[in-house]
Structures are given as structure tokens and as C-alpha cells.
């Protein structure tokens, strides 16, 4: 493939995490008592639970064999994003230390090497409240603004829109998942034709809603 | 455009709701005392609040001028999905009575008229917990299964995957939003190349997570 100006490269975090050494041999994990106790109760691997707790700043829920945490990055997700699928047996992969930094490094390296204007999204699949199934979301963003803000613009009847801020980067990450799949060994997708040329600043952190402003919780 | 076999037509609910007469002249709404009181406190139109409460089975949160409800359909969203953008001044548009039925009627009508195998998604943009911005999601589905279930399949290292159920219809709805936008008067998008030929049953209801199984709440 050939990357073009104003493409957005969406990369599954797993390949980024592996490249950054965020992969842990489970044999080296000595699980805490808390992790061991809880894992025993639900038939989980205590070493994975231990890793998830270490990546967390807060346990949101921990029951029925499901552990939902808030990670150091501010993501609320299952097992702090610690995952064993699509990694060799006996290993677990963690989220990147700083997905925005990972995205920015990838953006810089590729932009320079290929001499094109690129944006990068690092993605992961998260569960969510109220709705079944996981969706791919943007955990790291570089080179473009992750939201499209229609507030103040006229709608098609000329009325000013007041509430519409779209999390475009999350929608783009979801679209990328559709073509990457889970079993096809395709860890990246190119989004072409999304207009971001005038909007080159942004981070994944902008997609984290502060608790104080979150009436959905 | 020409629809082809196995295309998925994603339609913004607004155009469906309008076609189904789910559009209300605000002049005909006599707001309840509850709606009037609450609206006064936050400078909202009491008639819109009244419509939202009438569409709801439960108020999830109601503060800081934001009303989050569970609708009769089971959606948790702002203002029960009642919306005034992209409708004529003085009107509000409600969600379809039964978005799955709307999707199925559209699917049947278009499939018969064009003699192609189609699937249909009726979509709306919803806010969500934890994350900023709205994303488009599938509120009605016809003709294909809205989730892709990888459980039991081998990952790229041959290990059996255990947790991966992807809400593909939501990701497709999000992808469609990217091309529809909010101000372009494009109320539908065609998804081509998503493999659903062997997977022709499904509904938007499948994407509603029962409260009992929802540890994210």
C-alpha cells in the first residue's frame, strides 16, 4: 500500500504494545494475595488479575468473574486492557504506557519516512455500559482533532446546533475494526478521505470525559 | 447510486421518524408540571422535556440541564432521543416506535423493489459514559446479525478466544456517520463489502445489554 497525504492510519494497540515491549511473560508475575483470592473465586489466572490491578488506579467493578477498572491513562475497561489473545501462549500484553505518545511517535516516523501528512489513531476494543458487544475506540491520537464539533453551526434548516460534538476518532477506530477483524492478522487500517487538513492538533485524552461532567455514569 | 447484493444501508433515524410521522408540532404539547418546573430551572423548553419524559420508562439522571432516560425501547440516551436539529422550527422529532420494525420494513421494500439482498441499520447518535462526544449507533437492525462473535475461534496463535463479541452494527453505524455528517443533508450511507451473507437474522434489540449482565453501569 502507499500512504497518501491526509490518510489516517489506525493501528491496533497490540502491535504498538509489542513493539514497545509492553508484553509480559506470565511466568515472571508473582500475583498479590488479593489477585490470588479473587482469581480463585472465579477460575481466572491470578497473574492476569495481578497485572490488571497493577495497571489500574481504581477498581470500578469486580464480580461475576469480570474486572472493570480505571487505568492509569483514564480508560474504563475490562482487565485494564490486559489481554492474552493474539499473543504467544504464556504472555500477556498491556496497553501502551502513553498511547498518545505512541501515536505521535508513529506519526512522526512514518510522516518523515514517507514524506506525507499523516494522522495516527492507536485503538483498542472496549466494552461499554448499556450496550452489548465491544467496539473499537481511539485510545491514542496524533495529528488530528478527535472530535467534530458542530456546535454553533447551522443545521439544514438554518437553526444553530447546540449539542452535537461527535467523537469522530472513535467512529474511525470502529470503522477500522470492521476491516481489521480479530483473526485476520491485520493490525492496521488506512482511513482515506476524512477531512482533517485544517485540524491537525489533538490527543486521545480529549476523548476522556471528566467524572464531574459525566451524567451517564 | 445502485444498491448491490449484500450492501448494508445505514439510515439516520431522523428521516425514518419523519416518514413515520414521529414528528410533533411543539405548539400542540401541553407540558406537565414536572416538565415545566424542571425546564424552568435550566432554561430548557418545557415542551421538549415533556416529550422526552413521555418517551421514557425511567429517568437515569436529570441535572445540570441534562436529562438522561431509558426509553421504551430500552435505549439509554439524552432526552429520550427527542431532537430538534434538522427539523423545521417549532417541531421535534421522536425515535421510531419500533426501530427494528422500521429497519425491516425498509429492508423488505427496498429488497423487493430493487431485487437485491439488503440489510438495513437505523441509526442515531448517542452520548456514552466515560467518553466525550457522541457516536452513531445502531438502534434498529434488519437482515443481518449485529454482532460478530469470535468466541471459540482460534486467534492468530491458535489459542481459543473467549471474550470477543464485537458490536459490528454499532461500528458500521459509526462509520456511516463519518460520511453522513450532521449538516450535509445526507441521511443514509451504503456499507459495501461487509460479509453478512451467511448471517441474515438479527435485530437492534440484541445490542441492548440487560441490566443484570452489565457491570459497566
Amino acid at each position: 500500500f502507499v500512504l497518501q497525504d491526509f490518510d489516517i492510519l489506525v493501528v491496533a494497540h497490540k502491535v504498538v504494545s509489542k513493539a514497545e515491549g509492553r508484553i509480559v511473560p506470565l511466568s515472571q508475575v508473582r500475583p498479590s494475595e488479593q489477585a490470588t483470592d479473587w482469581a480463585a473465586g472465579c477460575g481466572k489466572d491470578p497473574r492476569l488479575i495481578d497485572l490488571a490491578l497493577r495497571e489500574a488506579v481504581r477498581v470500578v467493578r469486580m464480580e461475576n468473574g469480570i474486572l472493570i477498572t480505571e487505568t492509569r491513562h483514564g480508560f474504563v475497561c475490562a482487565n485494564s486492557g490486559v489481554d492474552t489473545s493474539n499473543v504467544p501462549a504464556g504472555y500477556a500484553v498491556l496497553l501502551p504506557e502513553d498511547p498518545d505518545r505512541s501515536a505521535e511517535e508513529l506519526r512522526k516516523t512514518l510522516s518523515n519516512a514517507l514524506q506525507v501528512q499523516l494522522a495516527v489513531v492507536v485503538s483498542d476494543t472496549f466494552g461499554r455500559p448499556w450496550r452489548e458487544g465491544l467496539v473499537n475506540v481511539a485510545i491514542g491520537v496524533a495529528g488530528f482533532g478527535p472530535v467534530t464539533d458542530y456546535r454553533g453551526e447551522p443545521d439544514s434548516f438554518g437553526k444553530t446546533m447546540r449539542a452535537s460534538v461527535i467523537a469522530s476518532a472513535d467512529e474511525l477506530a470502529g470503522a477500522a475494526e470492521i476491516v481489521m477483524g480479530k483473526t485476520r492478522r491485520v493490525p492496521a487500517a488506512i482511513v482515506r478521505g476524512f477531512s482533517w487538513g485544517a485540524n491537525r492538533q489533538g490527543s486521545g485524552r480529549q476523548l476522556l470525559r471528566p467524572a464531574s461532567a459525566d451524567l451517564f455514569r
Side-chain angles (χ1 to χ4, degrees), chain A residues 122-212:
Chain A
V122 175
S123 73
D124 194 12
T125 47
F126 282 4
R128 47 226 171 122
W130 317 116
R131 293 183 70 78
E132 286 289 356
L134 313 173
V135 290
N136 215 33
V137 297
I139 64 170
V141 168
F144 82 119
V147 302
T148 305
D149 191 344
Y150 291 101
R151 289 174 301 182
E153 282 190 42
D155 71 9
S156 54
F157 289 88
K159 275 180 302 176
T160 300
M161 292 197 290
R162 290 186 305 171
S164 291
V165 178
I166 302 291
S168 304
D170 281 343
E171 294 185 329
L172 293 167
E177 194 284 322
I178 293 288
V179 299
M180 295 193 287
K182 279 279 164 206
T183 50
R184 280 178 248 155
R185 307 190 73 134
V186 178
I190 300 167
V191 175
R192 186 161 293 162
F194 182 75
S195 176
W196 59 271
N199 183 18
R200 302 188 188 190
Q201 297 296 318
S203 70
R205 280 185 301 278
Q206 290 171 252
L207 292 169
L208 302 179
R209 177 171 283 174
S212 58

Side-chain angles (χ1 to χ4, degrees), chain A residues 64-80:
Chain A
N64 300 344
I66 291 173
L67 172 58
I68 294 162
T69 60
E70 181 173 337
T71 71
R72 277 181 284 105
H73 326 81
F75 304 129
V76 175
C77 58
N79 306 313
S80 303

Side-chain angles (χ1 to χ4, degrees), chain A residues 46-64:
Chain A
R47 299 169 301 179
L48 288 174
I49 303 303
D50 191 72
L51 286 175
L53 292 175
R54 277 197 257 162
E55 293 290 304
V57 292
R58 185 166 70 87
V59 171
V60 175
R61 297 286 284 275
M62 194 172 181
E63 58 189 84
N64 300 344

Side-chain angles (χ1 to χ4, degrees), chain A residues 4 16-18 27 31 45 68 75 77 85 96 101 106 112 132 142 171 174 176 195 203-205 213:
Chain A
Q4 296 179 2
V16 173
S17 293
K18 288 178 187 173
S27 60
D45 186 328
I68 294 162
F75 304 129
C77 58
S85 67
R101 193 182 60 205
L106 221 86
N112 289 339
E132 286 289 356
E171 294 185 329
S195 176
S203 70
R205 280 185 301 278

